[in-house]
Amino acid sequence: MSDSAAQAVLRVGHVPGVTLTKWRTRWAERLTERLDVVELEQAKVRHALDEGEVDMCCVRLPIDTDGLHAIPLYEEVMVAWVSKEHPIAAFDTITLADLADETVLSEPDQVAIDRVNAGAVLLAPMSVARSASRRDLVHRPVVDAPPVPMVLAWPTDKDNPLISEFIGIVRGRTANSSRTDQERASRTAAVGQDRARRGGERSRRRSRRR
């Protein structure tokens, strides 16, 4: 397979709770290359990037960023995820001090959710709680918990021109205000060819005058 064929697809990972619908829609409107989206567990993101399983990933900090580019996207609010019968469910918001005597968990997996049903409290980003919402659980914002930064990360040695296209979409570059990198490259090549053609014509005219 040629390098150009191998780069005809961009593989973007994301951790649970993150949705890329808006960016996928804009990609489809502007580009013909395929965009593959893969959900990854937070703990497996670095391995997936190192092994080339994905080209980029929307991931929460902290993550080992050695050898990675990482541009900030936004910050997520932390919530306390509890059963409807838990005393915390009676409040609209809580503080970390309210959790001092609670069994607090931090990994939003099935084991933790089962323990939440038994009375534990699960601290998780709000997007995770919303995406995995259940009728028997509720979540309450923890107003003084540090927000969780979300970044878009990719290896510094990754050579895929579609990466810059996706970054442009993420940063809000519009189709009218800025052309894609591929279009700019084509336009630059066309300008160069036109200049070479005009230079050749001038040389031929000077030769005829002599």
Side-chain angles (χ1 to χ4, degrees), residues 172-183:
R173 185 176 66 196
T174 65
N176 292 330
S177 65
S178 179
R179 297 179 183 272
T180 66
D181 288 344
Q182 293 172 339
E183 290 172 330

Side-chain angles (χ1 to χ4, degrees), residues 59-134:
V59 60
R60 297 181 180 93
L61 295 181
I63 184 177
D64 178 14
T65 56
D66 185 36
L68 297 180
H69 293 298
I71 58 175
L73 297 175
Y74 51 85
E75 293 184 332
E76 294 187 296
V77 173
M78 292 295 287
V79 300
W81 210 358
V82 297
S83 69
K84 284 188 174 181
E85 289 73 30
H86 197 286
I88 285 176
F91 298 92
D92 293 329
T93 62
I94 63 168
T95 66
L96 290 173
D98 296 324
L99 304 177
D101 298 325
E102 302 290 343
T103 299
V104 179
L105 311 174
S106 60
E107 291 296 330
D109 53 24
Q110 188 57 51
V111 173
I113 292 175
D114 290 341
R115 293 185 65 186
V116 167
N117 278 326
V121 177
L122 176 58
L123 274 181
M126 183 178 288
S127 64
V128 174
R130 285 178 171 173
S131 65
S133 63
R134 292 172 35 160

Side-chain angles (χ1 to χ4, degrees), residues 30-49:
R30 303 177 192 180
L31 295 158
T32 58
E33 290 82 359
R34 194 172 84 241
L35 177 66
D36 288 349
V37 175
V38 182
E39 182 172 293
L40 297 168
E41 296 178 19
Q42 175 81 19
K44 296 182 178 180
V45 168
R46 184 61 205 244
H47 175 80
L49 288 169

